[in-house]
Protein backbone atom coordinates (compact mmCIF):
# COMPACT_ATOMS: atom_id res chain seq x y z
CA UNK A 1 0.00 0.00 0.00
CA UNK A 2 1.34 3.38 -0.97
CA UNK A 3 0.57 6.08 1.59
CA UNK A 4 0.17 9.78 0.94
CA UNK A 5 3.08 11.77 2.33
CA UNK A 6 1.82 15.35 2.17
CA UNK A 7 -1.27 17.22 3.34
CA UNK A 8 -1.93 18.25 -0.26
CA UNK A 9 -2.03 14.62 -1.44
CA UNK A 10 -4.23 13.61 1.50
CA UNK A 11 -6.67 16.44 0.75
CA UNK A 12 -6.80 15.46 -2.93
CA UNK A 13 -7.47 11.86 -1.94
CA UNK A 14 -10.29 12.94 0.39
CA UNK A 15 -11.89 14.93 -2.43
CA UNK A 16 -11.57 11.89 -4.69
CA UNK A 17 -13.20 9.61 -2.10
CA UNK A 18 -16.10 12.06 -1.78
CA UNK A 19 -16.60 12.28 -5.54
CA UNK A 20 -16.37 8.52 -6.10
CA UNK A 21 -18.58 7.77 -3.08
CA UNK A 22 -21.34 10.06 -4.34
CA UNK A 23 -21.01 8.52 -7.78
CA UNK A 24 -21.14 4.96 -6.40
CA UNK A 25 -24.22 5.53 -4.27
CA UNK A 26 -25.98 7.17 -7.23
CA UNK A 27 -25.03 4.20 -9.44
CA UNK A 28 -26.44 1.76 -6.89
CA UNK A 29 -29.67 3.76 -6.69
CA UNK A 30 -30.01 3.92 -10.48
CA UNK A 31 -29.49 0.14 -10.77
CA UNK A 32 -32.01 -0.58 -7.97
CA UNK A 33 -34.61 1.72 -9.57
CA UNK A 34 -33.93 0.22 -12.98
CA UNK A 35 -34.65 -3.24 -11.59
CA UNK A 36 -38.01 -1.98 -10.31
CA UNK A 37 -38.85 -0.32 -13.65
CA UNK A 38 -37.96 -3.37 -15.75
CA UNK A 39 -39.95 -5.59 -13.37
CA UNK A 40 -42.87 -3.16 -13.73
CA UNK A 41 -42.82 -3.44 -17.52
CA UNK A 42 -41.84 -7.10 -17.90
CA UNK A 43 -43.73 -8.59 -14.97
CA UNK A 44 -40.79 -10.94 -14.27
CA UNK A 45 -40.46 -10.91 -10.47
CA UNK A 46 -37.96 -13.79 -10.40
CA UNK A 47 -35.53 -11.79 -12.56
CA UNK A 48 -36.06 -8.71 -10.35
CA UNK A 49 -35.28 -10.61 -7.15
CA UNK A 50 -32.26 -12.27 -8.77
CA UNK A 51 -30.86 -8.95 -9.96
CA UNK A 52 -31.55 -7.34 -6.58
CA UNK A 53 -29.60 -10.11 -4.86
CA UNK A 54 -26.76 -9.64 -7.34
CA UNK A 55 -26.74 -5.90 -6.63
CA UNK A 56 -26.56 -6.44 -2.86
CA UNK A 57 -23.76 -8.96 -3.37
CA UNK A 58 -21.87 -6.56 -5.64
CA UNK A 59 -21.92 -3.73 -3.11
CA UNK A 60 -18.58 -3.21 -1.37
CA UNK A 61 -18.31 -3.93 2.33
CA UNK A 62 -18.17 -0.25 3.23
CA UNK A 63 -21.48 0.52 1.55
CA UNK A 64 -24.82 0.75 3.31
CA UNK A 65 -26.25 -2.64 2.41
CA UNK A 66 -28.79 -2.62 5.25
CA UNK A 67 -30.18 0.72 4.08
CA UNK A 68 -30.61 -0.72 0.59
CA UNK A 69 -32.25 -3.85 2.04
CA UNK A 70 -34.80 -1.72 3.92
CA UNK A 71 -35.45 0.31 0.77
CA UNK A 72 -36.01 -2.90 -1.24
CA UNK A 73 -38.37 -4.33 1.38
CA UNK A 74 -40.43 -1.12 1.33
CA UNK A 75 -40.51 -0.49 -2.41
CA UNK A 76 -40.32 -3.97 -3.92
CA UNK A 77 -41.92 -5.94 -1.11
CA UNK A 78 -39.14 -8.54 -1.17
CA UNK A 79 -38.29 -10.26 2.10
CA UNK A 80 -34.74 -10.79 3.35
CA UNK A 81 -34.26 -14.49 4.05
CA UNK A 82 -31.61 -14.69 6.78
CA UNK A 83 -31.12 -18.46 6.31
CA UNK A 84 -30.26 -18.05 2.63
CA UNK A 85 -28.78 -14.56 3.08
CA UNK A 86 -30.73 -13.19 0.13
CA UNK A 87 -34.04 -11.69 -0.90
CA UNK A 88 -37.04 -13.81 -1.80
CA UNK A 89 -40.28 -12.50 -3.22
CA UNK A 90 -43.69 -12.72 -1.70
CA UNK A 91 -45.81 -15.01 -3.87
CA UNK A 92 -48.77 -12.66 -3.25
CA UNK A 93 -46.84 -9.73 -4.74
CA UNK A 94 -45.46 -10.62 -8.13
CA UNK A 95 -46.31 -7.29 -9.77
CA UNK A 96 -45.09 -3.79 -8.98
CA UNK A 97 -47.09 -0.62 -9.56
CA UNK A 98 -45.88 2.53 -11.28
CA UNK A 99 -46.33 4.42 -7.99
CA UNK A 100 -44.00 2.01 -6.17
CA UNK A 101 -41.34 2.57 -8.79
CA UNK A 102 -41.82 6.35 -8.62
CA UNK A 103 -41.56 6.35 -4.82
CA UNK A 104 -38.38 4.29 -5.05
CA UNK A 105 -36.88 6.71 -7.55
CA UNK A 106 -37.83 9.71 -5.40
CA UNK A 107 -36.29 8.34 -2.20
CA UNK A 108 -32.69 7.12 -2.43
CA UNK A 109 -31.86 4.25 -0.10
CA UNK A 110 -29.38 6.32 1.92
CA UNK A 111 -32.15 8.86 2.68
CA UNK A 112 -34.79 6.17 3.18
CA UNK A 113 -32.89 4.73 6.13
CA UNK A 114 -30.29 7.17 7.42
CA UNK A 115 -27.22 5.71 9.05
CA UNK A 116 -27.66 5.38 12.82
CA UNK A 117 -25.76 7.79 15.00
CA UNK A 118 -22.47 6.43 16.33
CA UNK A 119 -22.68 5.50 19.99
CA UNK A 120 -19.46 4.68 21.79
CA UNK A 121 -19.47 1.69 24.11
CA UNK A 122 -20.38 2.73 27.67
CA UNK A 123 -19.80 -0.13 30.09
CA UNK A 124 -21.16 1.73 33.11
CA UNK A 125 -24.38 2.64 31.29
CA UNK A 126 -24.81 -0.95 30.10
CA UNK A 127 -24.21 -2.40 33.57
CA UNK A 128 -26.61 0.07 35.19
CA UNK A 129 -29.30 -0.83 32.65
CA UNK A 130 -28.75 -4.53 33.37
CA UNK A 131 -28.92 -3.90 37.12
CA UNK A 132 -32.13 -1.87 36.75
CA UNK A 133 -33.74 -4.57 34.60
CA UNK A 134 -32.74 -7.28 37.06
CA UNK A 135 -34.05 -5.22 40.01
CA UNK A 136 -37.44 -4.93 38.25
CA UNK A 137 -37.58 -8.71 37.79
CA UNK A 138 -36.67 -9.24 41.45
CA UNK A 139 -39.35 -6.73 42.55
CA UNK A 140 -42.03 -8.49 40.47
CA UNK A 141 -40.90 -11.85 41.80
CA UNK A 142 -38.25 -14.21 40.54
CA UNK A 143 -39.74 -17.14 38.61
CA UNK A 144 -38.42 -20.66 38.69
CA UNK A 145 -37.04 -20.37 35.15
CA UNK A 146 -35.20 -17.09 35.90
CA UNK A 147 -31.48 -17.31 36.58
CA UNK A 148 -30.71 -14.52 39.04
CA UNK A 149 -27.91 -14.94 41.55
CA UNK A 150 -28.67 -12.31 44.18
CA UNK A 151 -25.11 -12.44 45.55
CA UNK A 152 -23.76 -11.76 42.06
CA UNK A 153 -26.25 -8.92 41.62
CA UNK A 154 -25.19 -7.37 44.94
CA UNK A 155 -21.52 -7.70 44.01
CA UNK A 156 -22.15 -6.12 40.63
CA UNK A 157 -24.00 -3.19 42.24
CA UNK A 158 -21.15 -2.69 44.68
CA UNK A 159 -18.55 -2.88 41.90
CA UNK A 160 -20.36 -0.28 39.77
CA UNK A 161 -20.90 1.96 42.79
CA UNK A 162 -17.21 1.77 43.76
CA UNK A 163 -16.08 2.63 40.23
CA UNK A 164 -17.52 6.13 40.48
Amino acid sequence: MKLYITDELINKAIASVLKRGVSLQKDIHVVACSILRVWNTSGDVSKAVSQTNALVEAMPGMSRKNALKSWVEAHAGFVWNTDENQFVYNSKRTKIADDDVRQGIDTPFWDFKPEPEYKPFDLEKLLNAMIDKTDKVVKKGVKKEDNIDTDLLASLKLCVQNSK
Side-chain angles (χ1 to χ4, degrees), residues 90-150:
N90 181 341
S91 61
K92 294 179 182 173
R93 184 172 182 195
T94 59
K95 304 277 186 219
I96 188 168
D98 288 337
D99 285 347
D100 294 323
V101 177
R102 181 82 261 154
Q103 288 172 5
I105 291 168
D106 291 343
T107 308
F109 68 92
W110 60 90
D111 287 339
F112 179 77
K113 183 174 182 181
E115 187 169 13
E117 181 182 326
Y118 172 73
K119 293 180 184 167
F121 186 81
D122 186 336
L123 180 60
E124 185 177 338
K125 185 177 179 180
L126 180 65
L127 290 174
N128 280 321
M130 186 175 59
I131 289 168
D132 290 346
K133 185 174 182 177
T134 306
D135 280 343
K136 286 178 186 175
V137 171
V138 170
K139 265 186 179 175
K140 286 183 180 180
V142 178
K143 296 181 178 80
K144 183 180 175 184
E145 61 271 11
D146 292 332
N147 180 12
I148 297 176
D149 181 331
T150 53

Side-chain angles (χ1 to χ4, degrees), residues 26-133:
K26 182 182 175 199
D27 289 349
I28 292 168
H29 183 65
V30 168
V31 171
C33 293
S34 298
I35 292 168
L36 297 183
R37 174 58 66 207
V38 170
W39 172 26
N40 174 257
T41 57
S42 74
D44 190 349
V45 69
S46 61
K47 179 65 107 180
V49 79
S50 172
Q51 289 174 330
T52 301
N53 285 325
L55 176 60
V56 170
E57 184 67 29
M59 291 173 69
M62 54 68 67
S63 58
R64 305 226 6 251
K65 288 184 181 188
N66 288 335
L68 179 67
K69 289 174 186 177
S70 292
W71 182 93
V72 167
E73 288 174 337
H75 297 293
F78 299 158
V79 177
W80 185 255
N81 181 320
T82 54
D83 293 334
E84 296 180 27
N85 215 21
Q86 65 180 9
F87 280 111
V88 293
Y89 65 88
N90 181 341
S91 61
K92 294 179 182 173
R93 184 172 182 195
T94 59
K95 304 277 186 219
I96 188 168
D98 288 337
D99 285 347
D100 294 323
V101 177
R102 181 82 261 154
Q103 288 172 5
I105 291 168
D106 291 343
T107 308
F109 68 92
W110 60 90
D111 287 339
F112 179 77
K113 183 174 182 181
E115 187 169 13
E117 181 182 326
Y118 172 73
K119 293 180 184 167
F121 186 81
D122 186 336
L123 180 60
E124 185 177 338
K125 185 177 179 180
L126 180 65
L127 290 174
N128 280 321
M130 186 175 59
I131 289 168
D132 290 346
K133 185 174 182 177

Side-chain angles (χ1 to χ4, degrees), residues 3-18:
L3 301 178
Y4 303 108
I5 58 171
T6 67
D7 290 338
E8 181 183 353
L9 290 173
I10 291 170
N11 291 337
K12 283 182 181 179
I14 291 169
S16 174
V17 167
L18 174 63

